[in-house]
Structures are given as C-alpha cells and as structure tokens.
Amino acid sequence: MNIPFIRHVHRGSVSVAVVLFLSSCCWSAEQAYVDSITEIKNSFHWDHVAEGVAQVAVTERVLLSEKPANLTTLNFNPSDSSLYRVREISGTSQNCVLLTTFTKKDEFWQAAVPQQDLQLRSGTGDENDLFTWVTAGSDLKTYLAENYASSLTADTVDRRMSQALGMPDLTGEEWVLASFWVPLDLVLRPAYSADIGTQISYDTLLEYSDNSYAVTDGSSGGPDFTFQDYDSTFHSGEGGFGEFVMNNQAETEMPWTAMGYTYNWNFLEDGLSGRAEDTNRASSYVGVSEFVVSAGAWVQFDSFIENDALYPYLIPEPGSLPLLIFSTGLICLWKRHRIF
C-alpha cells in the first residue's frame, strides 16, 4: 500500500524515520510486534477511528512506565562537526543537524546525490511530500552496539534494526541507512513534547482525566511545519501538531510511543503468550530517541550505508583491532610476569 510514513530512526530515529515507506509486501505479524502495538494503544487518549474521525478511548488507560532522562537533545554546537554544521540549502546558510533514516532505496533515494540539495518529495505537488522519521547522528549505531554487541551478526542486522526502530521485521528487504543534513527548525520530536532542545519532563506533562497524556503545545513547529499521520493525511497550521498526535494515535498500527523514543519490540520476545523467545533480547523496550522532519522539507543529502555494509558499519572500526590486540598482548604479558 506504500504509505508515505517515514520512520527512521523511534520514532530514531531512527530514526534514522524515517523515508519509511511501508511497502506493499506482507510481513508476518509476529506476536511480540502485535503485543507492542497493543501496549502503546492502551496508553493513548485516542485509540480508534469511527467514520474517519479520531475517537477517545473507552477502556482504562495505562501509561508507559519507561520515562528515560537520557533522550538525545539537539542544540546547534559548531564544535561538534560530526553532528552539527552550517550548510547552504536552497541558497541560504542554515544551522543543520545530521539525521539518519532507515529506508527502502526506491527511485527517490536512488536519485540522491551527496552534498546536493534534496527536497523530501517523491513527485510533483505537495501530496507527494515525504514525512521522515529519523534518528540523530550515530545514535542508532551506538544503541545497537550497546544492546547487541555480543550477538549481532550479518544475518540478524536487518531484524535488529527493525526491532530497535519499532518497525515490522524487514529481513531480506535490503533497506539502507540514508543520512542528510536538515535545518534545525525543521525538526521536532513526535512526542507529547515536541521540543528537541530539552529532555521531556514526563512528570509535568498534561494529562486527561482518563490518565492518558496530552501534548504540551498543539501549535509546536508553527504554522509552516507539516506533519503526516499513519493514514497519510497532512496536518499543518497553528494546531497541526495537536491534530497529528490525535489522528496518529487513533490510526497507527505501529508501536509509536509518543514518549520521544522508539519501542524495541524485541524486549517482548520472552517465549510467553505465543511470542518468540530470544535469549539475547533487549533488557528494555526503550529504543532510540526519534525525531521527524517537516514533510516536503529541503535538506542536503550526505550518504548511504548500503544494506550489505550495515554489519561492517555496526561492528568495531578496523582501526581499533590493532589496539585491541596490542592491549590484549600487554595484559597477557603482565599476567605472565606475575606468574614468574
């Protein structure tokens, strides 16, 4: 069905959200993935649609318990050139951040040229604007290294990427990581608080009477920021963010937390209630800090990491191996000296 709903790394990112297109192929609905959607839907104020209109939930609401204090924040820092740079986009110098999305390399991305301007639009007309879900810099790489360093293999990279970003299992689909520079004022959190420059203060978030969270500012992003919900409807104007959250909660069939992070459904693979069992599963469902880019924005393309290069990208840099070997040698020598 090719839904132009980009989630690249969760939400980090990918989100890396990215351009996430849900392609027309049919994924198997793994029980852990299905259960993750059920859990997040149980926390939303709007959880279904009737005759095209978002409806308030009628069952008891249960807030997600994980409230991390280490979300990635984005504040322009020219001394960190790996993440922030001044780039000339559309003829104007702008403070930009490097964002990454996990995406199908379709015709749109195949036409992307490094260091060249790129509009997030797959055709002519605003109706073809792309709304990307992304992660910042190397956040996704760091997350996978911290959670799967001992178990990651070339055969499991696609699955781990999918799980960490709260996406269906994309094993065999050969998606890629696409990185691009984005003006900071075109980036927001798809969360109850859209502010990218600060941590979310969960304890001060507004709540409805049913114990579900409300957005802190429905006008976040201003009248020109354009959002797109799961049903491919665009939302902009002064209340665009609030409308996006309402409709996306009611319609989404992905584990979107709205808490500033992706939902890693690998956490649920405990072998119970029909779920698969993974002895290397993540210890928490908190994935990567995720952001979104205004639909149709002009950005500057940076680079791809092709599917067959994902595993080499995620394992230790080759240059670190000699140091590792040297360090191991020193330890062995010291132990031998102690013995004698």
Side-chain angles (χ1 to χ4, degrees):
M1 57 183 170
N2 241 17
I3 300 176
F5 188 74
I6 305 165
R7 175 183 284 270
H8 305 265
V9 334
H10 63 145
R11 240 228 112 332
S13 120
V14 10
S15 314
V16 165
V18 68
V19 173
L20 165 67
F21 288 97
L22 295 183
S23 72
S24 58
C25 66
C26 295
W27 292 291
S28 60
E30 296 189 56
Q31 192 61 50
Y33 182 74
V34 171
D35 289 351
S36 70
I37 297 171
T38 299
E39 182 174 350
I40 62 97
K41 294 285 277 189
N42 283 339
S43 72
F44 290 161
H45 185 61
W46 295 274
D47 72 345
H48 65 290
V49 174
E51 297 182 354
V53 179
Q55 302 293 311
V56 175
V58 295
T59 58
E60 182 179 357
R61 302 291 85 193
V62 181
L63 293 176
L64 295 179
S65 60
E66 293 287 357
K67 303 173 183 178
N70 62 342
L71 295 175
T72 295
T73 57
L74 301 178
N75 295 282
F76 188 73
N77 178 8
S79 65
D80 184 1
S81 60
S82 65
L83 187 59
Y84 302 103
R85 293 184 190 178
V86 175
R87 311 296 287 189
E88 184 173 314
I89 299 177
S90 298
T92 303
S93 294
Q94 303 186 63
N95 293 343
C96 295
V97 59
L98 185 65
L99 302 175
T100 300
T101 186
F102 192 43
T103 180
K104 180 179 181 180
K105 196 173 181 181
D106 56 13
E107 291 183 2
F108 170 79
W109 287 109
Q110 290 172 15
V113 178
Q115 314 312 316
Q116 295 294 314
D117 290 359
L118 176 70
Q119 186 177 23
L120 297 177
R121 178 174 293 172
S122 63
T124 59
D126 294 348
E127 71 278 5
N128 292 307
D129 285 352
L130 304 179
F131 183 54
T132 53
W133 294 67
V134 295
T135 57
S138 59
D139 276 7
L140 182 58
K141 176 178 181 177
T142 300
Y143 176 83
L144 290 171
E146 290 176 346
N147 287 272
Y148 300 111
S150 63
S151 63
L152 193 67
T153 68
D155 292 334
T156 61
V157 167
D158 287 339
R159 182 172 176 82
R160 291 307 191 204
M161 295 277 281
S162 305
Q163 291 173 327
L165 294 172
M167 299 166 63
D169 185 7
L170 296 167
T171 299
E173 295 299 313
E174 298 189 349
W175 282 28
V176 303
L177 282 176
S179 297
F180 46 99
W181 296 94
V182 184
L184 275 169
D185 60 358
L186 297 179
V187 185
L188 290 178
R189 290 192 198 278
Y192 295 107
S193 173
D195 185 359
I196 64 175
T198 61
Q199 294 292 318
I200 293 180
S201 178
Y202 300 101
D203 293 335
T204 61
L205 287 178
L206 301 174
E207 292 186 22
Y208 293 102
S209 59
D210 63 3
N211 196 42
S212 59
Y213 284 134
V215 298
T216 56
D217 182 2
S219 63
S220 294
D224 297 327
F225 200 104
T226 302
F227 305 86
Q228 186 181 29
D229 64 34
Y230 189 82
D231 195 38
S232 301
T233 300
F234 291 101
H235 304 277
S236 59
E238 288 296 343
F241 178 61
E243 292 176 2
F244 158 71
V245 171
M246 176 180 68
N247 287 281
N248 210 47
Q249 284 191 351
E251 297 162 351
T252 189
E253 294 301 330
M254 299 180 74
W256 168 53
T257 65
M259 300 282 277
Y261 56 83
T262 61
Y263 191 113
N264 185 345
W265 51 273
N266 172 235
F267 168 73
L268 295 179
E269 293 190 308
D270 52 12
L272 303 176
S273 302
R275 296 186 288 266
E277 183 174 11
D278 183 353
T279 57
N280 295 306
R281 68 190 180 98
S283 60
S284 167
Y285 59 74
V286 177
V288 194
S289 296
E290 65 179 351
F291 305 91
V292 291
V293 179
S294 183
W298 279 95
V299 302
Q300 189 172 102
F301 180 69
D302 185 79
S303 60
F304 286 119
I305 297 177
E306 302 290 347
N307 188 267
D308 60 2
L310 287 177
Y311 180 65
Y313 167 71
L314 295 169
I315 61 175
E317 299 289 342
S320 67
L321 294 179
L323 178 60
L324 178 61
I325 295 172
F326 177 71
S327 300
T328 303
L330 285 179
I331 294 172
C332 292
L333 182 61
W334 178 79
K335 288 184 176 179
R336 182 179 180 185
H337 174 75
R338 293 271 297 183
I339 293 173
F340 289 95

